[in-house]
PDB file of all heavy atoms in Angstrom:
ATOM      1  N   PHE A  89     -48.692 149.148-230.466  1.00  0.00           N
ATOM      2  CA  PHE A  89     -47.922 147.913-229.930  1.00  0.00           C
ATOM      3  C   PHE A  89     -47.410 148.302-228.491  1.00  0.00           C
ATOM      4  O   PHE A  89     -47.489 149.532-228.095  1.00  0.00           O
ATOM      5  CB  PHE A  89     -46.785 147.608-230.800  1.00  0.00           C
ATOM      6  CG  PHE A  89     -47.248 147.126-232.120  1.00  0.00           C
ATOM      7  CD1 PHE A  89     -47.163 147.940-233.168  1.00  0.00           C
ATOM      8  CD2 PHE A  89     -47.704 145.836-232.352  1.00  0.00           C
ATOM      9  CE1 PHE A  89     -47.584 147.624-234.463  1.00  0.00           C
ATOM     10  CE2 PHE A  89     -48.116 145.476-233.648  1.00  0.00           C
ATOM     11  CZ  PHE A  89     -48.061 146.359-234.684  1.00  0.00           C
ATOM     12  N   GLN A  90     -46.897 147.355-227.734  1.00  0.00           N
ATOM     13  CA  GLN A  90     -46.332 147.682-226.487  1.00  0.00           C
ATOM     14  C   GLN A  90     -45.236 148.709-226.521  1.00  0.00           C
ATOM     15  O   GLN A  90     -45.141 149.638-225.772  1.00  0.00           O
ATOM     16  CB  GLN A  90     -45.797 146.400-225.779  1.00  0.00           C
ATOM     17  CG  GLN A  90     -45.210 146.582-224.411  1.00  0.00           C
ATOM     18  CD  GLN A  90     -44.770 145.260-223.773  1.00  0.00           C
ATOM     19  OE1 GLN A  90     -45.142 144.224-224.285  1.00  0.00           O
ATOM     20  NE2 GLN A  90     -44.006 145.349-222.739  1.00  0.00           N
ATOM     21  N   GLN A  91     -44.391 148.565-227.593  1.00  0.00           N
ATOM     22  CA  GLN A  91     -43.396 149.571-227.805  1.00  0.00           C
ATOM     23  C   GLN A  91     -43.908 150.569-228.826  1.00  0.00           C
ATOM     24  O   GLN A  91     -44.638 150.227-229.759  1.00  0.00           O
ATOM     25  CB  GLN A  91     -42.206 148.908-228.457  1.00  0.00           C
ATOM     26  CG  GLN A  91     -41.291 148.110-227.453  1.00  0.00           C
ATOM     27  CD  GLN A  91     -40.064 147.592-228.146  1.00  0.00           C
ATOM     28  OE1 GLN A  91     -40.139 146.913-229.153  1.00  0.00           O
ATOM     29  NE2 GLN A  91     -38.911 147.979-227.615  1.00  0.00           N
ATOM     30  N   ILE A 141     -42.601 158.222-221.117  1.00  0.00           N
ATOM     31  CA  ILE A 141     -43.068 156.980-221.827  1.00  0.00           C
ATOM     32  C   ILE A 141     -44.585 157.043-222.128  1.00  0.00           C
ATOM     33  O   ILE A 141     -44.994 156.647-223.198  1.00  0.00           O
ATOM     34  CB  ILE A 141     -42.705 155.770-220.938  1.00  0.00           C
ATOM     35  CG1 ILE A 141     -41.217 155.618-220.762  1.00  0.00           C
ATOM     36  CG2 ILE A 141     -43.330 154.422-221.576  1.00  0.00           C
ATOM     37  CD1 ILE A 141     -40.845 154.535-219.842  1.00  0.00           C
ATOM     38  N   GLN A 145     -46.365 156.941-225.860  1.00  0.00           N
ATOM     39  CA  GLN A 145     -47.419 155.939-226.223  1.00  0.00           C
ATOM     40  C   GLN A 145     -48.696 156.668-226.750  1.00  0.00           C
ATOM     41  O   GLN A 145     -49.328 156.216-227.696  1.00  0.00           O
ATOM     42  CB  GLN A 145     -47.816 154.961-225.080  1.00  0.00           C
ATOM     43  CG  GLN A 145     -48.581 153.762-225.412  1.00  0.00           C
ATOM     44  CD  GLN A 145     -47.930 152.840-226.434  1.00  0.00           C
ATOM     45  OE1 GLN A 145     -47.304 153.339-227.326  1.00  0.00           O
ATOM     46  NE2 GLN A 145     -48.018 151.541-226.244  1.00  0.00           N
ATOM     47  N   ASP A 163     -52.076 145.877-229.187  1.00  0.00           N
ATOM     48  CA  ASP A 163     -51.419 144.655-228.645  1.00  0.00           C
ATOM     49  C   ASP A 163     -50.656 145.080-227.346  1.00  0.00           C
ATOM     50  O   ASP A 163     -49.520 145.505-227.509  1.00  0.00           O
ATOM     51  CB  ASP A 163     -50.614 143.884-229.596  1.00  0.00           C
ATOM     52  CG  ASP A 163     -50.177 142.550-229.128  1.00  0.00           C
ATOM     53  OD1 ASP A 163     -50.479 142.151-227.984  1.00  0.00           O
ATOM     54  OD2 ASP A 163     -49.659 141.767-230.021  1.00  0.00           O
ATOM     55  N   GLU A 164     -51.187 144.869-226.206  1.00  0.00           N
ATOM     56  CA  GLU A 164     -50.548 145.218-224.963  1.00  0.00           C
ATOM     57  C   GLU A 164     -50.103 146.689-224.919  1.00  0.00           C
ATOM     58  O   GLU A 164     -48.968 147.013-224.608  1.00  0.00           O
ATOM     59  CB  GLU A 164     -49.415 144.309-224.620  1.00  0.00           C
ATOM     60  CG  GLU A 164     -49.849 142.842-224.803  1.00  0.00           C
ATOM     61  CD  GLU A 164     -49.468 141.894-223.743  1.00  0.00           C
ATOM     62  OE1 GLU A 164     -49.192 142.372-222.566  1.00  0.00           O
ATOM     63  OE2 GLU A 164     -49.315 140.669-223.989  1.00  0.00           O
ATOM     64  N   PRO A 165     -51.044 147.606-225.313  1.00  0.00           N
ATOM     65  CA  PRO A 165     -50.650 149.047-225.436  1.00  0.00           C
ATOM     66  C   PRO A 165     -50.279 149.614-224.068  1.00  0.00           C
ATOM     67  O   PRO A 165     -49.580 150.744-224.089  1.00  0.00           O
ATOM     68  CB  PRO A 165     -51.816 149.717-226.070  1.00  0.00           C
ATOM     69  CG  PRO A 165     -53.030 148.887-225.518  1.00  0.00           C
ATOM     70  CD  PRO A 165     -52.467 147.443-225.475  1.00  0.00           C
ATOM     71  N   THR A 166     -50.629 149.056-223.048  1.00  0.00           N
ATOM     72  CA  THR A 166     -50.389 149.629-221.734  1.00  0.00           C
ATOM     73  C   THR A 166     -49.376 148.890-220.884  1.00  0.00           C
ATOM     74  O   THR A 166     -49.110 149.219-219.714  1.00  0.00           O
ATOM     75  CB  THR A 166     -51.703 149.813-220.918  1.00  0.00           C
ATOM     76  OG1 THR A 166     -52.174 148.422-220.620  1.00  0.00           O
ATOM     77  CG2 THR A 166     -52.807 150.481-221.700  1.00  0.00           C
ATOM     78  N   ALA A 167     -48.809 147.908-221.522  1.00  0.00           N
ATOM     79  CA  ALA A 167     -47.932 146.939-220.697  1.00  0.00           C
ATOM     80  C   ALA A 167     -46.610 147.663-220.186  1.00  0.00           C
ATOM     81  O   ALA A 167     -46.134 147.243-219.192  1.00  0.00           O
ATOM     82  CB  ALA A 167     -47.499 145.811-221.531  1.00  0.00           C
ATOM     83  N   SER A 168     -46.180 148.746-220.820  1.00  0.00           N
ATOM     84  CA  SER A 168     -45.034 149.531-220.381  1.00  0.00           C
ATOM     85  C   SER A 168     -45.362 150.653-219.425  1.00  0.00           C
ATOM     86  O   SER A 168     -44.486 151.452-219.169  1.00  0.00           O
ATOM     87  CB  SER A 168     -44.158 149.932-221.550  1.00  0.00           C
ATOM     88  OG  SER A 168     -44.009 149.014-222.452  1.00  0.00           O
ATOM     89  N   LEU A 169     -46.656 150.857-219.208  1.00  0.00           N
ATOM     90  CA  LEU A 169     -47.100 152.073-218.551  1.00  0.00           C
ATOM     91  C   LEU A 169     -47.642 151.768-217.142  1.00  0.00           C
ATOM     92  O   LEU A 169     -47.999 150.559-216.913  1.00  0.00           O
ATOM     93  CB  LEU A 169     -48.254 152.658-219.354  1.00  0.00           C
ATOM     94  CG  LEU A 169     -48.012 152.888-220.849  1.00  0.00           C
ATOM     95  CD1 LEU A 169     -49.172 153.487-221.525  1.00  0.00           C
ATOM     96  CD2 LEU A 169     -46.833 153.852-220.980  1.00  0.00           C
ATOM     97  N   ASP A 170     -47.574 152.733-216.248  1.00  0.00           N
ATOM     98  CA  ASP A 170     -48.288 152.529-214.913  1.00  0.00           C
ATOM     99  C   ASP A 170     -49.738 152.575-215.189  1.00  0.00           C
ATOM    100  O   ASP A 170     -50.229 152.967-216.242  1.00  0.00           O
ATOM    101  CB  ASP A 170     -47.781 153.585-213.988  1.00  0.00           C
ATOM    102  CG  ASP A 170     -48.157 155.035-214.371  1.00  0.00           C
ATOM    103  OD1 ASP A 170     -49.296 155.319-214.613  1.00  0.00           O
ATOM    104  OD2 ASP A 170     -47.186 155.823-214.564  1.00  0.00           O
ATOM    105  N   GLY A 174     -51.741 154.064-218.294  1.00  0.00           N
ATOM    106  CA  GLY A 174     -52.375 153.069-219.160  1.00  0.00           C
ATOM    107  C   GLY A 174     -53.859 153.425-219.370  1.00  0.00           C
ATOM    108  O   GLY A 174     -54.347 153.169-220.532  1.00  0.00           O
ATOM    109  N   VAL A 195     -55.601 143.976-226.696  1.00  0.00           N
ATOM    110  CA  VAL A 195     -55.093 142.729-226.054  1.00  0.00           C
ATOM    111  C   VAL A 195     -54.279 143.179-224.771  1.00  0.00           C
ATOM    112  O   VAL A 195     -53.535 144.193-224.832  1.00  0.00           O
ATOM    113  CB  VAL A 195     -54.049 142.038-227.019  1.00  0.00           C
ATOM    114  CG1 VAL A 195     -53.173 141.093-226.241  1.00  0.00           C
ATOM    115  CG2 VAL A 195     -54.786 141.414-228.095  1.00  0.00           C
ATOM    116  N   THR A 196     -54.587 142.478-223.694  1.00  0.00           N
ATOM    117  CA  THR A 196     -53.899 142.958-222.449  1.00  0.00           C
ATOM    118  C   THR A 196     -53.844 141.790-221.443  1.00  0.00           C
ATOM    119  O   THR A 196     -54.557 140.747-221.735  1.00  0.00           O
ATOM    120  CB  THR A 196     -54.707 144.037-221.822  1.00  0.00           C
ATOM    121  OG1 THR A 196     -54.079 144.473-220.607  1.00  0.00           O
ATOM    122  CG2 THR A 196     -56.148 143.681-221.471  1.00  0.00           C
ATOM    123  N   HIS A 197     -53.096 141.885-220.396  1.00  0.00           N
ATOM    124  CA  HIS A 197     -53.349 140.954-219.301  1.00  0.00           C
ATOM    125  C   HIS A 197     -53.787 141.613-218.103  1.00  0.00           C
ATOM    126  O   HIS A 197     -53.896 141.116-217.023  1.00  0.00           O
ATOM    127  CB  HIS A 197     -52.238 139.875-219.056  1.00  0.00           C
ATOM    128  CG  HIS A 197     -50.871 140.413-219.158  1.00  0.00           C
ATOM    129  ND1 HIS A 197     -49.932 139.890-220.047  1.00  0.00           N
ATOM    130  CD2 HIS A 197     -50.231 141.396-218.530  1.00  0.00           C
ATOM    131  CE1 HIS A 197     -48.817 140.534-219.918  1.00  0.00           C
ATOM    132  NE2 HIS A 197     -48.983 141.477-219.026  1.00  0.00           N
ATOM    133  N   ASP A 198     -54.262 142.859-218.229  1.00  0.00           N
ATOM    134  CA  ASP A 198     -54.745 143.673-217.167  1.00  0.00           C
ATOM    135  C   ASP A 198     -56.294 143.937-217.346  1.00  0.00           C
ATOM    136  O   ASP A 198     -56.657 144.799-218.142  1.00  0.00           O
ATOM    137  CB  ASP A 198     -54.003 144.959-217.103  1.00  0.00           C
ATOM    138  CG  ASP A 198     -54.436 145.869-215.938  1.00  0.00           C
ATOM    139  OD1 ASP A 198     -55.425 145.495-215.285  1.00  0.00           O
ATOM    140  OD2 ASP A 198     -53.809 146.954-215.715  1.00  0.00           O
ATOM    141  N   MET A 201     -57.985 147.432-217.871  1.00  0.00           N
ATOM    142  CA  MET A 201     -57.873 148.134-219.082  1.00  0.00           C
ATOM    143  C   MET A 201     -59.001 147.885-219.957  1.00  0.00           C
ATOM    144  O   MET A 201     -59.183 148.505-221.026  1.00  0.00           O
ATOM    145  CB  MET A 201     -56.572 147.787-219.831  1.00  0.00           C
ATOM    146  CG  MET A 201     -55.316 148.241-219.083  1.00  0.00           C
ATOM    147  SD  MET A 201     -55.330 149.973-218.770  1.00  0.00           S
ATOM    148  CE  MET A 201     -54.268 150.059-217.239  1.00  0.00           C
TER     149      MET A 201
END
Side-chain angles (χ1 to χ4, degrees):
F89 301 98
Q90 179 175 348
Q91 284 185 302
I141 295 174
Q145 193 62 318
D163 192 353
E164 313 227 21
T166 64
S168 319
L169 308 177
D170 62 57
V195 165
T196 181
H197 38 240
D198 182 355
M201 296 302 153

